[in-house]
Amino acid sequence: MWSSSVQVFRALEHWRWVSIFTKCNLLAVLYFTLAQGAGKFCIVLLSWLNEYLRLHLGFVESCVIFFCVGFTMFMLPPVPGIPVYICGGNWDVYA
């Protein structure tokens, strides 16, 4: 038992720890950016889309475009679903 743990620690001595921790940090920053940034971007995009559909297009075109955008956003894992519901409710009232 003792010899196997010593072998593991000797193998770990040769790893490039700075590179490993740098890559872990970059992955954490990427995850945080996607988790937080996607939600904020989603709200801004849906607000713009809501105004555009309300002012420039008819009812049928608005329904088709909103369905396509909403379905696409629901299929993307980092996008939260609540802004799509809220935008759909606001858009439905305007239409």
Side-chain angles (χ1 to χ4, degrees), residues 9-20:
F9 283 118
R10 285 191 180 150
L12 291 176
E13 287 177 352
H14 300 291
W15 285 13
R16 298 175 184 228
W17 287 103
V18 173
S19 175
I20 291 170

Side-chain angles (χ1 to χ4, degrees), residues 16-89:
R16 298 175 184 228
W17 287 103
V18 173
S19 175
I20 291 170
F21 287 133
T22 302
K23 290 173 185 168
C24 286
N25 251 347
L26 290 175
L27 284 175
V29 167
L30 179 67
Y31 172 76
F32 182 76
T33 302
L34 284 177
Q36 297 299 317
K40 304 297 183 211
F41 178 73
C42 173
I43 292 170
V44 171
L45 175 73
L46 287 174
S47 297
W48 172 81
L49 181 66
N50 193 8
E51 288 296 316
Y52 183 81
L53 292 177
R54 185 173 63 87
L55 295 175
H56 298 290
L57 296 177
F59 181 72
V60 175
E61 295 90 1
S62 296
C63 286
V64 170
I65 291 173
F66 187 77
F67 174 78
C68 293
V69 170
F71 182 76
T72 303
M73 293 183 93
F74 273 122
M75 292 296 120
L76 296 174
V79 174
I82 293 175
V84 179
Y85 290 134
I86 292 172
C87 184

